[in-house]
Amino acid sequence: EDRARWLIVGLGNPGSKFALTRHNVGFDVVDRLAKAEGLVWGGFGENTDLVRLQKKANAKLALGVVVGTNVVLVKPQTFMNLSGESVKKLMKHWRVPKERVLIIYDDLDTPTCVMKLKGKGGHGGHNGVRNIIDECPGCADKTFPRLKIGVGRPKRGTEVYDHVLTKFHANDRLTLESCTFNDSCDVIRGVLSNGLDKTMTAVNNKAGTGGGDTGKAPKAKAPDNNNAWQLKKTIKPKIDPAVATLVRNAVANVIAGDATTTINGL
């Protein structure tokens, strides 16, 4: 067992056809981390062992050190539904336990651009995670670290398949590129340096997700006094019955042509 190394696995589909789609945010995050940490994808030059391993595992790999920890960044090239086959081979090659395999992927049940860090849970309908649970050593009990990037639910009438295989709206993409991906890299660094539990609590509380597996609920928001006018608009004013009678009589007199009586009566 390699007691220091982590596998940081971003899930996605290979090929330009799937680039920048919702289903490929896992690839996007590990690409951002590789760039930020100066790690290079693929085995080049004299590193023939890495070239062979990439071919054997059917994955793109980037090796290096992040916050003092040996890491392997992984982008399985098996297509999403067979991601576990690639991860399994890498876990066995480096003898890395499931506790140090962080899976990064898109999540329908998390709001777009929001992150959730978890230490356990089901696949939630995600076929890549389903295959990891089925194939990878020890993962059948569904306890392994995962960082979910929210892509939201599809609009009514849109199939899930079409939703995840299309690109984000422009504003969402801007938020991902300028905030979410950078924050995700910081989360990964936090897991490596501070551990999963401590980082999970901090991340999920900040995101307002209830503290992940800790069961903490987000604090209720204080009433917004700026919206008090909205309440006033919904309240019908009470009218004094005597005034109502005078008004009705005045209207009747106006109709009858007796304007003077009307004015004096009011």
Side-chain angles (χ1 to χ4, degrees), residues 6-7 31 39 66 119 223 238 252 260:
W6 275 75
L7 300 182
D31 278 337
L39 307 185
V66 177
K238 294 182 179 180
T260 302

Side-chain angles (χ1 to χ4, degrees), residues 14 16 40 42 46 49 60-61 73 81 87-88 92 105 115 123 129 141 157 184 207 213 215 243 258:
S16 59
V40 180
E46 298 179 356
D49 289 342
K60 289 186 177 181
L61 307 175
L73 307 188
N81 293 2
V87 177
K88 174 176 64 176
K92 289 182 175 180
Y105 61 97
M115 301 176 300
H123 53 71
V129 179
D141 66 358
S184 297
D213 295 323
V243 174
D258 189 0

